[in-house]
């Protein structure tokens, strides 16, 4: 959570208030980068909500994932401006570069390639976001450089 | 002298923070570290980012497209020696002077992280003081908004005062004001910009709305994919609390109001009011049948009024300047101004706020400089996934709710994507449909299955697999989805297809007849190298991302059609135009 509370703290303060389910799930997503099955079960028990209902909410919203992602999540913008600036080509390039398909994580667990509906930086199209930072006016050369720099930082 | 750098999301990704540190370093070197480099929001000239403003003696100079090296020059020559660098200067008036800036009045002008600066230079909370006075409080505010003729800016265009009156008259002690900041339209970014650049105007608008309907609680439902907007709003709310603009007994008026920020979990359909409410209550965001309307039974069962960011940002201006003044701007049915997010192939992309009724061509060509790189104008997409594509014959259409509605497109939230000849209209329609199809909540069969079937048909058309009769099928299906869906998402999802079928039918036919219409249509056509033109430089081979180009023993280059993905990069890179497409 951006206010620093942990998943268990948020879960504790939610009690059995069903209205807080999304907030609790957001806390879990932020802490673990995905929603582990154990967390869903714990929420079900503490908040007295059937697990099926919790999965219903998890799968409805794009923010939640059930698979552990890589350390760095690359979100390629699929907004209109990026689309007409050929973002599809760039995401294909990243997929080749990392040898993954969209939605997948690299074997070393460093990168997950995903997409986002629109980053709202349309005038910088094509754009992508990695770890919350937006990179704009991209081309293949820059993407390669950005990814290599992150790789270097990991070594 | 003040040194300001535009640093909202787009400014930062264009390198604004590097410019800030370069300026600071250079100033420190010159022994001028007492001069502060401040960061403001977005003035709307996204095409010129990063932007540095030097404000001095009541006037401003703007430097556009500043690199860290330029920043050092600016520090050394302009700031220290008072010698402006002509080649980097830009005249913002070219872009700004034809605009009517109400919502964007403070964007790029104030320092959003500093409430004092917003109060001093942006008149923040002045309107609140007026609204909380005995003369205005409650009915008086609503009457002012009625006079202004303000309509919802999120897309619906519903008169704001009617919404407020309904919530005010609803029975119940506890009421809510919800600010819908879940801007989900791909191609629209005005809400993000206002939240990042002028958060206090949005907060002020929410409090005034609360005072109007008798609510003491406000919720900002903010898109999680806008991390900077979330951060700035949280900071602004806590600053406003400290100053007593939020909390108990605001400005000794006896009125109390609090704001909570909720991050949206990412679902486009939550723009629909009933779905947004479900999401705030921790449920799947699926729209529900109305009535009951949110004004009677909304969040947590309480009367709720939901307004969009842009609508609320208009409110302080209206209270301060009077409803009549607002109503004097615009057309008889569409008052005031509207912000458009211009992107795509526009020469100058950015945020433009124009008086309602301004001609489309005045925005595209007048303010935004037409199509970039000398391209030819083809169409403009208005209103995002719920809107439509208008061809050049509509350049004279006045931008107001009624006139745009008549064309089959919608004003929507104000996304305006300029398209040039390289764009394929079928591809654009397919793009929007795949977005709405993926975002359909699944409740209504026509939206869930109909949009999927439409998408399959479009795919078949793009790949030249079906005949002419498929266009009638597509049209019928689109009309049925429009009629038989419960919420705005399903009702408007077919719009991009319907408008492109209406205005660009020849492109659909071209696909069906196996003729490629533009470079985007990759599945159609075949690339080959024209040996007579080829100078054998080998650049295409280097450019090819899938290694489909190889060199023969004779030294010629050939493309292997089985490997080729038709991305067109080889053709783009070839200086001798030796790569043809058939």
């Amino acid at each position: 959570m951006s206010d620093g509370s942990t998943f268990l703290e948020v879960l504790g303060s939610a009690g059995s208030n069903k209205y807080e389910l999304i907030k609790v799930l957001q806390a879990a997503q932020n802490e673990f980068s995905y929603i582990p099955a154990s967390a869903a079960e714990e929420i079900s028990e503490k908040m007295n909500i059937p697990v099926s209902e919790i999965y219903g909410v998890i799968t409805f919203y794009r923010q939640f994932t059930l698979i552990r992602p890589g350390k760095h999540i690359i979100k390629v913008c699929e907004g209109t401006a990026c689309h007409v600036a050929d973002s599809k080509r760039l995401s294909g390039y990243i997929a080749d570069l990392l040898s993954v398909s969209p939605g997948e994580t690299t074997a070393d667990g460093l990168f997950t390639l995903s997409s986002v509906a629109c980053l709202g930086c349309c005038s910088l199209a094509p754009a992508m976001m990695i770890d919350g930072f937006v990179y704009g006016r991209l081309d293949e050369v820059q993407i390669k450089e950005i990814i290599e720099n992150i790789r270097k930082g990991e070594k | 002298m003040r040194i300001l750098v535009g640093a909202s999301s787009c400014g930062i990704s264009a390198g604004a923070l590097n410019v800030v540190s370069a300026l600071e370093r250079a100033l420190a070197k010159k022994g001028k570290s007492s001069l502060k480099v401040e960061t403001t929001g977005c003035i709307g000239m996204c095409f010129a980012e990063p932007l540095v403003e030097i404000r001095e003696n009541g006037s401003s100079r703007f430097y556009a497209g500043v690199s860290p090296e330029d920043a050092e020059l600016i520090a050394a020559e302009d700031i220290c020696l008072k010698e402006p660098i002509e080649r980097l200067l830009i005249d913002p008036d070219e872009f700004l002077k034809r605009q009517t800036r109400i919502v964007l009045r403070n964007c790029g002008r104030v320092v959003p992280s500093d409430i004092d600066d917003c109060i001093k230079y942006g008149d923040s909370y002045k309107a609140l003081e007026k609204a909380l006075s005995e003369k205005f409080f409650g009915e008086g505010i609503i009457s002012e908004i009625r006079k202004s003729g303000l309509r919802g800016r999120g897309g619906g265009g519903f008169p704001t005062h009617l919404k407020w009156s309904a919530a005010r008259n609803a029975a119940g002690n506890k009421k809510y004001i919800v600010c819908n900041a879940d801007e989900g339209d791909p191609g629209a970014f005005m809400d993000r910009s206002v939240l990042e650049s002028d958060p206090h105007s949005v907060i002020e608008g929410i409090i005034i709305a609360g005072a109007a309907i008798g609510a003491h609680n406000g919720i900002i439902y903010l898109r999680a994919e806008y991390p900077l907007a979330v951060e700035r709003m949280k900071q602004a709310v806590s600053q406003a609390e400290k100053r007593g603009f939020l909390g108990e007994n605001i400005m000794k008026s006896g009125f109390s109001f609090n704001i909570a920020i909720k991050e949206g979990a990412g679902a486009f359909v939550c723009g629909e009011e009933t779905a947004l409410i479900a999401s705030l209550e921790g449920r799947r965001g699926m729209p529900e049948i109305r009535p009951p309307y949110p004004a009677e039974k909304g969040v947590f069962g309480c009367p709720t009024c939901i307004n969009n960011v842009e609508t609320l940002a208009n409110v302080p201006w209206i209270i301060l300047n009077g409803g009549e003044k607002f109503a004097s701007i615009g057309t008889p049915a569409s008052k005031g101004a509207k912000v458009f997010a211009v992107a795509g192939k526009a020469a100058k992309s950015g945020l433009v706020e124009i008086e309602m009724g301004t001609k489309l061509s005045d925005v595209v060509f007048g303010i935004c400089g037409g199509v970039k790189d000398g391209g030819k104008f083809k169409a403009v997409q208005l209103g995002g996934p719920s809107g439509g594509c208008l061809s050049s014959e509509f350049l004279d259409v006045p931008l107001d709710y009624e006139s745009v509605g008549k064309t089959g497109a919608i004003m929507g939230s104000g996304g305006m994507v300029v398209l040039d000849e390289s764009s394929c209209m079928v591809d654009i329609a397919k793009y929007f449909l795949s977005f709405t199809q993926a975002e359909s909540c699944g409740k209504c069969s026509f939206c869930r299955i109909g949009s999927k079937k439409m998408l399959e048909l479009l795919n078949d058309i793009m790949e030249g697999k079906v005949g002419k009769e498929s266009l009638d099928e597509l049209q019928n299906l689109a009309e049925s989805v429009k009629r038989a869906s419960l919420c705005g998402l399903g009702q408007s999802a077919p719009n991009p297809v319907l408008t492109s079928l209406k205005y660009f039918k020849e492109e659909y036919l071209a696909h069906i007849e196996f003729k490629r219409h533009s470079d985007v249509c990759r599945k159609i056509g075949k690339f080959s190298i024209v040996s007579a033109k080829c100078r054998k430089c080998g650049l295409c081979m280097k450019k090819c991302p899938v290694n489909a180009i190889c060199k023969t023993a004779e030294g010629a280059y050939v493309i292997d059609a089985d490997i080729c993905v038709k991305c067109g990069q080889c053709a783009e890179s070839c200086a001798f135009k030796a790569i043809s497409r058939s």
Side-chain angles (χ1 to χ4, degrees), chain A:
Chain A
M1 287 298 283
S2 31
D3 58 3
S5 322
T6 65
F7 162 59
L8 286 178
E9 281 165 11
V10 177
L11 181 60
S13 64
S16 59
N17 183 358
K18 280 187 166 196
Y19 292 154
E20 299 288 337
L21 176 59
I22 290 181
K23 194 175 164 190
V24 173
L25 288 172
Q26 282 173 330
Q29 176 76 38
N30 279 322
E31 192 163 314
F32 311 114
S33 302
Y34 76 112
I35 312 235
S38 59
E41 273 154 33
E42 201 163 353
I43 295 169
S44 164
E45 203 173 293
K46 295 264 164 61
M47 296 185 78
N48 199 20
I49 303 173
V51 179
S52 60
E53 220 169 278
I54 295 172
Y55 276 96
V57 173
I58 294 172
T59 50
F60 188 85
Y61 294 100
R62 209 194 302 226
Q63 191 184 5
F64 305 129
T65 51
L66 291 163
I67 305 165
R68 185 200 293 271
K71 192 167 174 193
H72 306 281
I73 303 172
I74 304 173
K75 292 184 177 175
V76 180
C77 183
E78 286 182 350
T80 320
C82 290
H83 178 77
V84 295
D86 217 358
S87 61
K88 227 188 272 170
R89 192 182 87 207
L90 295 184
S91 77
Y93 174 77
I94 301 174
D96 286 349
L97 195 68
L98 300 175
S99 314
V100 290
S101 298
E104 287 180 358
T105 303
T106 50
D108 58 5
L110 267 188
F111 296 100
T112 297
L113 176 58
S114 84
S115 62
V116 55
C118 183
L119 291 172
C121 293
C122 309
S123 46
L124 298 175
M128 66 176 181
M129 188 193 256
I130 304 181
D131 305 335
F133 188 85
V134 179
Y135 299 87
R137 294 173 187 153
L138 291 169
D139 60 26
E140 281 86 348
V141 180
Q142 281 180 47
I143 290 177
K144 199 167 177 193
E145 207 179 287
I146 293 164
I147 290 176
E148 273 170 8
N149 278 339
I150 296 176
R151 273 224 172 98
K152 261 184 223 154
E154 288 293 335
K155 273 176 193 159

Side-chain angles (χ1 to χ4, degrees), chain B residues 499-515:
Chain B
T499 50
S500 54
L501 266 177
K502 195 165 160 193
Y503 304 125
F504 297 95
K505 194 164 190 174
E506 71 283 358
E507 296 207 10
Y508 283 85
L509 290 170
H511 282 86
I512 287 170
E513 286 154 13
F514 268 100
K515 279 184 215 145

